[in-house]
Amino acid sequence: MTDSLLNVLLGLVASAISAVLGWLGQSLRRRRRLERTRDFLGLPAGSECLIVVNRSIGTGAHPRTVTRRDAYALMELAALVKECGAHTDLVAHDAAPRGLGAKTEFCFGGPVSNERMAAHLAWGLPGVVISNDRAVRDNTITIGGRSYAADLEAGEYVLLARLATPGHGRPVFLISGQTGIANHAGVRHLVAHHRRLVRRYGKDGTFALLLKVVNPGAYGPDVVEQIADVTALALERAPTPPGGPDTTAGTTPGTTPGSTTGSTTAVAPAVAPATAPSTTPAPTPGPAPASAPTP
């Protein structure tokens, strides 16, 4: 009887020790995973990040409003920030503080509705060109000479990128979709796959991914496919044709990011100032040298 009780007690102690070790192992694993996520997102516990909001560009929309889909994306992004123990500072695209790298920044929307996005594309991803015509409002994305236009049935596209800032500052995340549904899908992809992204690109890596939202009219932002890793093409600055108009990276040539209309902005060619003809009198020849005497 005594031996049986001893065996039972030993079994209980072994089970308790195994349970404690398993709990400690899981806790350490979750903590390491959370630390990797915080490093990748640049969100230490207690820190603050910027969420730069675009404006609604619909007909009759107030300049300080956002679409319903963008509001959904904001809530999911705020939940990810809260999971890291950080705080959010929601700012409008035209009221974001100047500077780069002091805080992690999440910027979403196209360059038409977000001036800050246009600036980030021009600086960090010069190989990406997004149409900026309000009359058409197609937001076609062109990367490496290939264009991706939005189609409600075939699919819409969103650019998801992470930019490392100078001096090992906090990163900038770009979610530039062709529609509000595409913006929402880009945020969902970041929330769902940030662990896979940090394993592939590291905590300080720069990347640019082109995602396709499949049949958004039927499935909304739920079905997303990765079309390509366009990091190399996005980082390569497109050559400017000789004698052609200036091109603003992030927008199509002849347009200005954040303008109120899609009209073309003429660029006056640089003309060198005319040079006045020289009026300096010709030098007067001096007297001829004296001839040497003949012996």
Side-chain angles (χ1 to χ4, degrees):
M1 186 67 177
T2 304
D3 292 339
S4 298
L5 289 176
L6 182 61
N7 290 333
V8 170
L9 290 176
L10 290 175
L12 291 176
V13 170
S15 299
I17 293 175
S18 300
V20 170
L21 291 177
W23 177 80
L24 288 175
Q26 291 294 330
S27 298
L28 291 175
R29 184 179 179 182
R30 285 194 299 267
R31 185 175 181 83
R32 289 180 58 189
R33 184 182 301 172
L34 179 59
E35 290 299 327
R36 286 196 299 265
T37 300
R38 286 173 172 172
D39 292 340
F40 175 70
L41 298 176
L43 295 174
S47 62
E48 190 176 70
C49 71
L50 293 176
I51 298 182
V52 182
V53 185
N54 60 341
R55 66 175 180 270
S56 176
I57 58 175
T59 304
H62 191 276
R64 293 298 182 184
T65 60
V66 297
T67 64
R68 179 167 51 93
R69 285 293 179 183
D70 287 340
Y72 293 159
L74 283 173
M75 290 188 290
E76 296 192 19
L77 192 56
L80 177 62
V81 174
K82 185 178 181 181
E83 179 183 338
C84 295
H87 309 286
T88 58
D89 184 10
L90 199 66
V91 295
H93 69 103
D94 53 355
R98 296 183 179 181
L100 195 66
K103 297 179 181 180
T104 295
E105 181 177 336
F106 297 93
C107 186
F108 69 98
V112 179
S113 60
N114 192 325
E115 297 175 2
R116 184 83 170 173
M117 176 67 72
H120 287 321
L121 291 175
W123 166 71
L125 301 176
V128 177
V129 178
I130 301 178
S131 63
N132 192 19
D133 192 343
R134 285 177 176 273
V136 180
R137 291 175 59 187
D138 59 348
N139 292 332
T140 299
I141 301 175
T142 303
I143 305 175
R146 183 173 180 179
S147 298
Y148 303 87
D151 189 314
L152 186 61
E153 295 183 358
E156 298 171 351
Y157 297 91
V158 53
L159 179 72
L160 173 62
R162 181 189 190 274
L163 303 179
T165 56
H168 300 284
R170 302 287 173 82
V172 175
F173 289 88
L174 307 180
I175 303 102
S176 182
Q178 295 174 321
T179 63
I181 293 178
N183 289 335
H184 192 185
V187 171
R188 279 194 174 182
H189 188 85
L190 176 62
V191 172
H193 300 285
H194 62 272
R195 294 188 180 93
R196 179 174 61 84
L197 293 174
V198 70
R199 286 195 300 268
R200 180 171 183 180
Y201 300 103
K203 64 179 183 178
D204 296 321
T206 292
F207 65 83
L209 305 178
L210 184 66
L211 310 176
K212 180 179 180 181
V213 188
V214 179
N215 197 354
Y219 305 128
D222 293 338
V223 183
V224 179
E225 297 177 352
Q226 179 176 322
I227 298 300
D229 183 336
V230 295
T231 306
L233 294 174
L235 293 175
E236 181 180 356
R237 187 175 298 276
T240 303
D246 293 340
T247 301
T248 303
T251 58
T252 52
T255 58
T256 54
S259 59
T260 54
T261 62
S263 59
T264 302
T265 303
V267 180
V271 179
T275 304
S278 175
T279 57
T280 306
T284 304
S291 302
T294 303

